[in-house]
Amino acid sequence: MRYGYFDDNAREYVIQRPDTPLPWINYLGEEDYFAMLSNTGGGYSFYRDARLRRLIRYRYNNVPADSGGRALYLRLSDGDFWSPAWQPVRKSLSAYECRVGLGYTRITSTYRGIQCEATYFVPLDQTLEVWRVKLTNQTDPSTNLSVFSLIEFCLWDAWDDQTNFQRNFNTGEVEVDEAAGVIYHKTEYRERRDHFAYFACSEPLAGFDTQREKFLGAYRGWHEPIVVEQGASANSIAHGWQPIGSHHVKVTLQPGELRTILFVLGYHENPRDQKFDPPESQTINKRTVKPIISRYLNLANVATAFAELKKHWDSLLSILQVYTPDEHTNRMVNIWNAYQCLITFNLSRSASFYESGIGRGMGFRDSNQDLLGFVHMVPARARQRILDLAATQLPTGGAYHQYQPLTKHGNNDVGGNFNDDPAWLILGVSAYLKETGDWSILDELVPYDNKVELATPLYEHLQRSFQYTIDRLGLHGLPLIGRADWNDCLNLNCFSEEPGESFQTTTNREGTVAESVFIAGLFVLASHELADLADHLQHADEAQRYRAAADRMEETVKAHGWDGDWFLRAYDALGHKVGSHEREEGRIFIESNGMCVLAGIGLQDGRAEQALAAVNEHLATPHGIVLQQPAYSRYYVHLGEISSYPPGYKENAGIFCHTNPWIMIAETLLGHGDQAFGYYSRINPSQREAISEVHRCEPYVYAQMIAGKDAATHGEAKNSWLTGTAAWNFAAITQHILGIQPTLTGLKIAPVIPTDWPGFSAKRVYRGVTYHIAVKRVGKGNAVTLKVDGQPVAGNVAPLPSQGTTDVKIDVVLA
Ligand code: GLC
Ligand code: GLC
């Protein structure tokens, strides 16, 4: 069952009813100001850091779901009122449509002949969100309408805001410029904050409110504010308690008449020595913000800003467009997967409807992987991200597991010792170099632990990443796992018996025994990448050393990381095998099998074939590939959080989607296009749209997890949006299945597509040149014959064209 449809020409998903199984959201904003907006108008906004600079309060895990935060109310003169986005009033609308677009959402509804079309977006390079509300009277008589806006302000630090009421009920402060229609939220501006929020309206006000209780009335919910019920604002000024922003606008609409009202919610900073006006007062200096407010309270300017946003996305997406026989592939690659890659790049795992924005910063491994899906779109931002991440690396080569986006400093509470972290930096940098050829990045001086005095060239960071693993090998010569590897919940040194103790940051064993076969595979992969970089730098000895280390590790994996039919997952703290036929539960895991094959281990000797066959036999389901089998039926203190989850959920045998593309890529390395594409399709959100009542999350983006076969709700997705699934699936489909792969020396075209595809075409902008790619299948295999601008080229890499070339035509024959 569907709740809407894809409008591919408009690059929108159109939701046709408000009561989706879960809130289906969108993200607005790209650089400094971010907003989440649900299909019923809910959500919250923040400046850069969802914890430290939150503009709108949000109540997590609340009932009814997704209420509060932001709202619009409309009221007719007979007292009947409703929310045009359905929530929070939830009166039945005669028409409803929510268009989820790239960086904007438009919700259009009709109630008693009044049509309301509200478009929400964040203009490029601005720290504000615009709500453009178009009201049309579709009835005969002229109608008197009241419009009420609503924002509930967060007192900036979202954690403190949810917990420290004894203080916060006293700190709230606002200013209202009624004539200009602007409400200013200035809590703590009197002390150390140089920033404030504003909520502005383009129309003359009939009234306003800034005190929540005055707006709602005692003991009332968002669905029945007394002010809306009575049709008159209280003109309240908040002194402590809960500051809100609400405008009241009265409009009379003639039959057929359309009126547009603009609301603007924004964040603004003043220079510290110019905070107040007059300087000795406590009144906000509004001179710097007023021009911004008036610019975006102007319809023509808003229309221009919206057109610029559209253009911006056209240009980002035009970097790669594919035309394949499968509409789900085209739609995801050309629109939604690319879009999700930008969102995950921006927000890592910090703020979604499943991540509170107060728990996590930017993950070291996560952000490096997110780069893989993003780097072709805005390489300059990827470059900066790499430098930021590397600056949180420690002198040992290890890394803080997370950093806070506002300060860009490593998060001490979470710390380090996740032994896979350093290797991902090598993969991130290598992806950047393959895309851009910007070798200068390796010379950038980058601090360790943000200490400038420790800075070395970025290249040395990569060397230390490599060395970090070499320095931490266990009894079998495999890498020690530390707190965890990619699987945060396989906590082999934790041994926690204490309820509530953090599995990720508690370590009760010294960590000199438990080893990870996954990190071994990752190390082999990363060492080969590093060797290629060393080659380019003409450091032949080093390249040789990296390759030799990779070869040694490969031999070690074959000797001690092979279980007979598949790759082992790990050795635990007692030296026992994890992910082995010797175990009752957790006999086979996806991660080590994906990563080892991806690293090329066992491609020659049949092990890779065997491992992938085992994955298919034991782990594959119609909804995707589960993480391990059999699921852990009880808590195992020596395995940690993986066994906290009931069978079928999350890391305990859920379909942890992030890992599925590793298997897809592995399958392509063996030339199995049908199998790779089959796996791709199972978790493709657009493909799953038809079963939205089962999947339940948004059909336009990947979710972190789909419940596995042991779960009562097999096929149900959770944790949509912020997941490494976005980048890895993008890499799997574009670089390995369609096979359009940037390399250090040029664009490689090596498709491993389904046997029944006649071919496909694509347009790829790479290092400033537009490649027009046409792939034609003439046989059933994957052998590539390449012609570049009509000339046969040996191998499968189109060499970099000469300076000044703008377009290159590539013809590929697959046989
Ligand atoms: C989450 C984490 C990621 C980890 C994965 C598996 O997605 O953000 O770092 O690799 O879970 O545990
Ligand atoms: C929780 C999640 C897991 C995540 C980890 C790190 O354990 O279940 O998926 O990776 O937290 O924050």
Side-chain angles (χ1 to χ4, degrees), residues 360 402 488-489 504 641 645 650-651 656 704:
R360 297 211 224 180
Q402 291 172 12
D488 269 333
C489 298
Q504 275 77 44
E641 190 171 8
Y645 296 111
K650 295 276 276 185
E651 282 88 341
F656 213 97
Q704 180 200 57

Side-chain angles (χ1 to χ4, degrees), residues 349 360 365-366 401 486-489 651 656 658 704:
R349 311 292 170 265
R360 297 211 224 180
R365 78 158 81 90
D366 293 338
H401 196 50
W486 173 87
N487 189 331
D488 269 333
C489 298
E651 282 88 341
F656 213 97
H658 184 147
Q704 180 200 57

